Amino acid sequence: MVKNEISCPSGGKKFKAYLAPMVRASTTPLRILSLRYGADAVYTEEIIDKSILGCDRVERSVEVFRPSVKGERYDKNAGDGDGGSNNPDGSRKEYRVIDYVKSTAGMSDRQRRKMKTTGEPILLRIVPEIEGDRIVFQIGTGDSILASQAAEKVYRDVSAININMGCPKKFSTAGGMGAALLDDPQRAADIVRSIRSALPSHISVSAKIRLLKDTPSTIDFVRTLVSAGASSITVHARTVGMKEQDEALLERLRPVIDSVKQYGGVEAVVNGDLYNREDMARVVEMSGADSVMVARPALYNTSIFRCKEDGGMLSKQEVIKEYVEECVRWQAHHKNAKYVIAEMMTNRRAPKSLLRSLPHNYPGNQTISKVCACHSISDLCKLWNVQMSMERWTKLLDIKPQTTTEHKYEDAYLLRLEKNDFGSSNRIQAEAILSKRPRIKDKEDEQKCK
């Protein structure tokens, strides 16, 4: 599916590791950090067909300082003497970015005036030189015509199109999308077929599904998708009715993966409760899959993509700090950054049997409440001790957009994550007040992280 992958040995069969599509989370900073740590490919968050069709494609230039960590491949063209992965001092470099910006057509005058203050609503930002042939666009769709139109709009900027056929959330299924397609194999096949026929052959078309009620039903559904033109199938080892905290049904994967492998050249990917490289290797051997996909484990510690040969996983403190750096580089909206960091600091969606093996230790005494108290990326830099200047590390050459999405981010929601995890309601009440404090007034503080 993705060209020029670099894979770690599993001690047995080699496999590829992908960052899963996660709503609100799989945006530019997390995708690029995952690639930096060694992910073979990254998926965008699910974007609805009508949403991407309602966007304008805008090319811009961004000048950033690349990280000065020896041995990490920050972009495809970095090399010795180029200021990339082998330059101990880092370097300033101009990158071309592609933004899909919500179109002003159809907006009222009031909405246009508001945009001048809040910034352009950027639905998707892609950095071709870094993500290139390693980024997969996931589309949320229930209509074959809209699906093909959306795919035609973005395919030049990505390596593959993935169709979400596994999300069980009401906002997705209510529109006939996501897991609703599992109950309608003919419509699912029509969507695959429509996208496949609309795109050039070098663009892969794939689907992410869940296990159906039984193995024969799952195998039949997979065969329907492959016959329609899917060249990669990702199987999430849970059924639609299962909760996120329920343990994945990994023992059900083998016959489903075998059915995928019967078609020559079709990639089989597995997903579910893979919290370290050993888990990945074990499930690859057990299921016969070609690749693995990680979602919550990548939020718990994004350096899960690092092989032992590269030093293995980093501390959570270091990973979150480097995530904040990427947020600065690519102008992430602070509300989106807060959401991702809060999810990194909670185990609310992990199976109960794994909780003891997923500790949260932060030497800087950071808490979700303190994250909620941040009203800017600069505030987040201070909290995580990121020693960088906004002006030094990133500079938009033509205009300065405020990268936003269609999602809402409420501090109250994030604070509940901490209460559920740690059960300390007194601490929550004491620190929640911080989330309501006024914005920083000192201009120097707004521009520089101390």
Side-chain angles (χ1 to χ4, degrees):
M1 178 186 67
V2 181
K3 303 183 183 72
N4 302 320
E5 300 94 343
I6 298 177
S7 303
C8 298
S10 66
K13 179 180 178 181
K14 289 187 177 182
F15 60 89
K16 306 178 188 72
Y18 304 146
L19 175 70
M22 292 178 282
V23 173
R24 298 183 180 92
S26 297
T27 51
T28 313
L30 188 66
R31 295 197 312 266
I32 289 180
L33 185 62
S34 298
L35 290 171
R36 175 176 161 184
Y37 287 150
D40 294 296
V42 291
Y43 285 58
T44 69
E45 62 176 330
E46 177 197 31
I47 297 180
I48 306 304
D49 48 21
K50 290 183 180 179
S51 294
I52 200 69
L53 287 171
C55 288
D56 295 324
R57 181 183 181 278
V58 180
E59 291 193 25
R60 298 187 171 106
S61 294
V62 177
E63 190 176 38
V64 306
F65 269 83
R66 289 186 288 193
S68 56
V69 181
K70 187 174 182 179
E72 290 183 353
R73 185 181 64 165
Y74 196 64
D75 63 55
K76 296 185 298 180
N77 298 323
D80 293 337
D82 187 39
S85 59
N86 295 307
N87 184 350
D89 298 320
S91 69
R92 186 186 295 273
K93 178 173 179 178
E94 181 179 327
Y95 286 93
R96 181 175 66 96
V97 300
I98 298 169
D99 289 337
Y100 283 85
V101 182
K102 193 170 183 178
S103 175
T104 59
M107 285 188 181
S108 65
D109 292 339
R110 180 180 178 181
Q111 289 173 316
R112 290 192 180 94
R113 287 195 298 270
K114 183 179 179 180
M115 189 190 304
K116 290 182 180 179
T117 303
T118 60
E120 298 171 296
I122 298 176
L123 196 65
L124 174 64
R125 167 166 284 183
I126 297 172
V127 188
E129 189 169 348
I130 298 176
E131 300 182 277
D133 57 5
R134 298 182 288 171
I135 182 172
V136 180
F137 178 81
Q138 190 187 62
I139 183 173
T141 185
D143 182 274
S144 60
I145 296 177
L146 290 175
S148 60
Q149 291 174 344
E152 285 183 289
K153 184 158 189 170
V154 301
Y155 83 86
R156 294 175 181 83
D157 300 319
V158 300
S159 65
I161 303 294
N162 180 265
I163 307 159
N164 182 355
M165 297 187 183
C167 180
K169 302 296 184 181
K170 186 175 181 180
F171 68 80
S172 186
T173 58
M177 301 179 291
L181 292 170
L182 297 176
D183 295 325
D184 195 342
Q186 186 57 56
R187 187 158 56 91
D190 288 343
I191 291 172
V192 172
R193 192 176 296 109
S194 178
I195 295 177
R196 177 67 282 162
S197 62
L199 303 182
S201 58
H202 71 276
I203 299 296
S204 171
V205 178
S206 61
K208 185 174 186 292
I209 71 170
R210 285 186 173 233
L211 293 170
L212 277 71
K213 59 182 179 180
D214 54 51
T215 298
S217 299
T218 309
I219 291 175
D220 287 344
F221 190 80
V222 165
R223 287 173 175 168
T224 298
L225 298 182
V226 174
S227 297
S231 55
S232 177
I233 302 292
T234 298
V235 183
H236 182 175
R238 288 184 174 88
T239 61
V240 173
M242 292 178 66
K243 296 180 180 179
E244 296 157 319
Q245 299 87 348
D246 295 335
E247 292 190 22
L249 304 175
L250 300 174
E251 69 281 358
R252 283 188 54 185
L253 287 173
R254 186 75 199 205
V256 178
I257 298 304
D258 285 345
S259 71
V260 176
K261 301 298 287 291
Q262 289 177 357
Y263 298 86
V266 178
E267 181 188 36
V269 188
V270 293
N271 169 227
D273 295 349
L274 308 177
Y275 278 85
N276 53 56
R277 305 254 356 153
E278 290 71 27
D279 288 342
M280 295 180 189
R282 176 177 56 84
V283 173
V284 165
E285 293 291 345
M286 180 178 71
S287 67
D290 302 300
S291 311
V292 299
M293 178 181 285
V294 290
R296 288 290 146 189
L299 279 181
Y300 175 74
N301 191 322
T302 315
S303 66
I304 189 174
F305 295 109
R306 283 169 56 100
C307 301
K308 289 183 179 179
E309 290 80 356
D310 296 328
M313 292 175 67
L314 305 173
S315 70
K316 286 180 61 63
Q317 176 96 5
E318 186 173 356
V319 168
I320 295 177
K321 182 177 179 179
E322 293 189 347
Y323 171 74
V324 174
E325 291 180 359
E326 296 299 344
C327 288
V328 177
R329 288 188 181 96
W330 306 109
Q331 295 92 39
H333 195 283
H334 73 279
K335 290 186 177 180
N336 180 261
K338 286 166 59 174
Y339 173 87
V340 175
I341 293 170
E343 289 287 357
M344 289 175 167
M345 299 175 72
T346 178
N347 291 337
R348 70 186 180 107
R349 304 191 193 197
K352 293 180 180 179
S353 62
L354 298 178
L355 294 182
R356 290 187 178 181
S357 63
L358 302 174
H360 291 272
N361 301 312
Y362 304 102
N365 295 317
Q366 294 90 348
T367 64
I368 292 177
S369 298
K370 291 179 180 178
V371 171
C372 288
C374 296
H375 294 288
S376 67
I377 292 293
S378 294
D379 289 349
L380 288 170
C381 287
K382 292 177 182 178
L383 179 61
W384 293 96
N385 193 31
V386 176
Q387 305 291 329
M388 57 197 290
S389 162
M390 294 283 283
E391 183 178 357
R392 174 187 174 227
W393 280 78
T394 180
K395 177 183 177 184
L396 197 61
L397 299 182
D398 42 12
I399 63 174
K400 185 177 182 179
Q402 292 293 320
T403 305
T404 58
T405 72
E406 297 182 322
H407 306 298
K408 294 182 179 179
Y409 304 89
E410 301 292 342
D411 284 351
Y413 170 80
L414 300 179
L415 288 167
R416 284 198 298 270
L417 302 185
E418 188 168 60
K419 184 175 181 180
N420 289 340
D421 264 1
F422 304 105
S424 179
S425 58
N426 292 333
R427 187 178 71 185
I428 293 297
Q429 292 173 0
E431 293 189 349
I433 299 173
L434 295 174
S435 67
K436 299 180 181 179
R437 67 178 174 79
R439 295 177 182 272
I440 297 173
K441 297 298 183 181
D442 190 299
K443 291 184 178 180
E444 183 178 353
D445 283 346
E446 285 287 357
Q447 297 296 325
K448 184 177 181 180
C449 303
K450 296 181 178 178

